Amino acid sequence: MVGKLLLRGMLAGLIAGVLMFAFAHTFGEPLVDQAIGFEEAAAQAAGEAAEPELVSRTTQAGIGLFTGIMAYSIAVGGLFALVFAFVQGRVSSLGARGTSMVIALAAFVSVVIVPNIKYPANPPAVGSPDTIGVRTELFFLMIVVAIAALIAAVSLGRRLSQRFGAWNGTVAAGLAYVVFIGLVQYLLPAINEVPENYPAMLLWNFRTTTIGMHVILWAAVGLVFGVFAERQLGVPAGVRRSAAPVLH
């Protein structure tokens, strides 16, 4: 069963990847071109020689972008299916679609929203090459902390729900998660390498478009995989079961 769900998760990731690529190619690549233009103009004004183009922009915005997004989205779909197989029947008593959407929402918050609040995506010409290693490490550290905190919050919520009721337990665990994440983000070093004359709208549009790509990815994976899983498990939509099947 887990193997069948894994294949369906990868298929859901493939479908989500196609949608994500269409959005990124249409709305994201023009912003990258604008950022590259700004970078080249700044280098020319400083008297610096133009860097050689190892890979053409046509290739980067076409097959390169498509390959990267598809590899990422299919991998996400496979991991998503494995998480679903563990959660369904053990942690969640929701139907397949409900569980799938809850996992997608939780993943979107912990993998996308929380890290990007502290370390948002940057277009070309933003960020020093000397700090790229540190910035990457901090970003992934934020992801790991957010996921670990989310798991701890779910466990805390279940315990508190047994004692104080589902609503009170969920709210208390959610507040604990927010407070902990806020503390971690306060303690981690801030990185601001945006040039003073960088176009504010370009930076804003790039970052919101990046978030939009992930909205499409996680929403599509959650919805599509939920349908696939429901058909595979034979659980009618919206049915809450007292003893959901445990997957092995």
Side-chain angles (χ1 to χ4, degrees):
M1 180 62 71
V2 174
K4 293 179 180 179
L5 289 175
L6 177 61
L7 290 176
R8 283 158 177 76
M10 295 174 69
L11 178 57
L14 186 149
I15 296 172
V18 172
L19 298 175
M20 188 179 179
F21 168 77
F23 179 85
H25 185 74
T26 303
F27 299 101
E29 286 304 317
L31 298 175
V32 174
D33 289 334
Q34 294 178 37
I36 291 175
F38 175 87
E39 185 177 35
E40 292 175 346
Q44 185 177 6
E48 300 176 358
E51 296 184 1
E53 189 177 60
L54 301 179
V55 180
S56 68
R57 276 295 297 146
T58 302
T59 301
Q60 293 176 27
I63 187 63
L65 178 66
F66 180 81
T67 302
I69 285 180
M70 295 307 297
Y72 175 72
S73 59
I74 291 174
V76 165
L79 292 173
F80 187 93
L82 295 178
V83 173
F84 175 90
F86 175 80
V87 169
Q88 183 71 2
R90 293 185 177 92
V91 179
S92 172
S93 58
L94 296 173
R97 293 192 188 188
T99 300
S100 181
M101 289 308 301
V102 168
I103 295 174
L105 178 60
F108 177 71
V109 171
S110 59
V111 176
V112 181
I113 295 299
V114 170
N116 275 277
I117 290 175
K118 182 66 176 181
Y119 304 112
N122 287 325
V126 175
S128 170
D130 298 332
T131 63
I132 187 171
V134 175
R135 287 185 280 120
T136 301
E137 292 174 359
L138 289 172
F139 183 80
F140 281 102
L141 174 62
M142 195 68 254
I143 292 178
V144 172
V145 170
I147 293 175
L150 181 64
I151 294 173
V154 170
S155 177
L156 176 63
R158 296 183 69 188
R159 295 180 181 179
L160 294 178
S161 296
Q162 295 175 356
R163 184 172 181 180
F164 301 106
W167 174 260
N168 293 330
T170 301
V171 171
L175 289 175
Y177 178 80
V178 171
V179 170
F180 177 76
I181 290 298
L183 179 61
V184 171
Q185 294 198 347
Y186 174 77
L187 294 175
L188 287 177
I191 297 178
N192 182 16
E193 298 178 339
V194 180
E196 293 183 0
N197 61 337
Y198 199 87
M201 284 304 300
L202 175 57
L203 183 64
W204 170 261
N205 290 335
F206 181 88
R207 289 175 173 176
T208 54
T209 300
T210 301
I211 297 296
M213 291 169 57
H214 287 282
V215 169
I216 292 173
L217 172 66
W218 290 105
V221 168
L223 289 169
V224 174
F225 180 80
V227 174
F228 289 163
E230 181 181 277
R231 293 178 179 177
Q232 180 64 39
L233 299 176
V235 181
V239 174
R240 185 183 180 91
R241 300 177 61 173
S242 59
V246 176
L247 305 178
H248 298 286

